[in-house]
Amino acid sequence: MASENPKKSQLYTRTGDRGESSLYNGERRIKTDRIFEALGAVDELNSSVGIAHHYCKKSDNGLVEQLVEIQCNLQDIGSNIATPRNDASESQLRNTAFDEGHVEKLECWIDSLDSQLPPLRNFILPSGGESSVFLHQARSICRRAERTTIPVVEANDADESVLKYLNRLSDYLFAAARFAAKHDGLEENIYKKAKSGREASVQTRSL
């Protein structure tokens, strides 16, 4: 039975009720600030990767460990963005630095996945089963996260390595989506320009 007078949860603080929130360095900014726009997009991206992880785990396609590592990296990217590089202490900068080695690791994963796929000769549509379509969705959200992070990096509020990672991550998610479709034995839909006066037709290709 629930207590009639439960202890106040730490999940809410009421300090943001007037539309402001704190950064890691203690600075308070309005929630529509470019930093919070970028933080929100990265958080949404992390959630979408989590959904893709769920379906990849069901499929047992071998991507789950990489996706968990990516989610941890996105959490670290959030910490970097929330710590303006031109107005933070040395310890804060050190604790929230984002290693560019993560970008190189993504590139290795992309090379491995892409080497197992047929070459692209057409534009493809998000398709190929549950794992694939949710990886494609994460890819499109990643592009938005990248766009919202650009002005933050340009203002020297976040490290350039963060932007490089998001740019490379969208490429990884594209390769991973195609790989997931191939693993599940499903086809990907090919873009075909609709002709005037004719119904659109779906062209598929096995991977």
Side-chain angles (χ1 to χ4, degrees):
M1 182 176 178
S3 171
E4 293 183 1
N5 297 296
K7 180 182 177 181
K8 178 187 172 301
S9 170
Q10 295 183 351
L11 292 177
Y12 63 94
T13 63
R14 303 190 179 106
T15 59
D17 288 352
R18 295 190 176 184
E20 292 183 347
S21 191
S22 295
L23 301 176
Y24 183 49
N25 65 350
E27 179 186 354
R28 292 190 65 80
R29 295 194 187 187
I30 190 168
K31 292 182 179 180
T32 53
D33 184 88
R34 60 175 176 256
I35 286 184
F36 290 116
E37 289 287 348
L39 285 173
V42 171
D43 186 34
E44 184 181 352
L45 171 58
N46 207 337
S47 295
S48 69
V49 173
I51 296 172
H53 172 275
H54 170 77
Y55 287 102
C56 287
K57 187 174 182 179
K58 286 176 62 178
S59 174
D60 193 24
N61 58 23
L63 295 173
V64 292
E65 290 186 6
Q66 293 180 2
L67 294 178
V68 169
E69 185 170 333
I70 286 168
Q71 287 187 284
C72 291
N73 288 339
L74 290 174
Q75 196 74 21
D76 290 339
I77 282 176
S79 297
N80 187 283
I81 292 172
T83 310
R85 315 321 281 172
N86 53 9
D87 191 22
S89 68
E90 287 297 322
S91 63
Q92 290 172 339
L93 291 173
R94 186 169 55 252
N95 291 338
T96 59
F98 190 75
D99 190 346
E100 197 160 325
H102 296 307
V103 179
E104 296 172 0
K105 193 168 189 179
L106 273 183
E107 291 175 345
C108 289
W109 290 349
I110 294 168
D111 293 343
S112 176
L113 293 173
D114 197 45
S115 69
Q116 302 174 63
L117 297 168
L120 275 172
R121 304 191 188 283
N122 311 88
F123 289 112
I124 63 169
L125 306 175
S127 52
E130 292 175 333
S131 298
S132 181
V133 295
F134 282 112
L135 286 163
H136 275 299
Q137 183 182 56
R139 172 186 55 79
S140 60
I141 295 173
C142 185
R143 284 300 190 195
R144 175 155 49 83
E146 179 188 0
R147 292 193 299 272
T148 60
T149 302
I150 289 173
V152 179
V153 172
E154 288 178 340
N156 198 31
D157 283 335
D159 290 332
E160 189 175 335
S161 56
V162 164
L163 194 56
K164 290 181 180 180
Y165 187 87
L166 292 173
N167 184 34
R168 208 70 80 254
L169 179 56
S170 60
D171 296 328
Y172 166 85
L173 291 168
F174 180 79
R178 298 191 72 216
F179 177 85
K182 179 181 179 181
H183 175 273
D184 292 344
L186 298 172
E187 298 175 329
E188 56 187 8
N189 293 342
I190 307 300
Y191 162 76
K192 186 177 181 181
K193 187 174 180 64
K195 294 183 178 180
S196 178
R198 297 184 182 180
E199 292 185 3
S201 60
V202 176
Q203 182 179 352
T204 62
R205 175 178 56 195
S206 298
L207 288 161

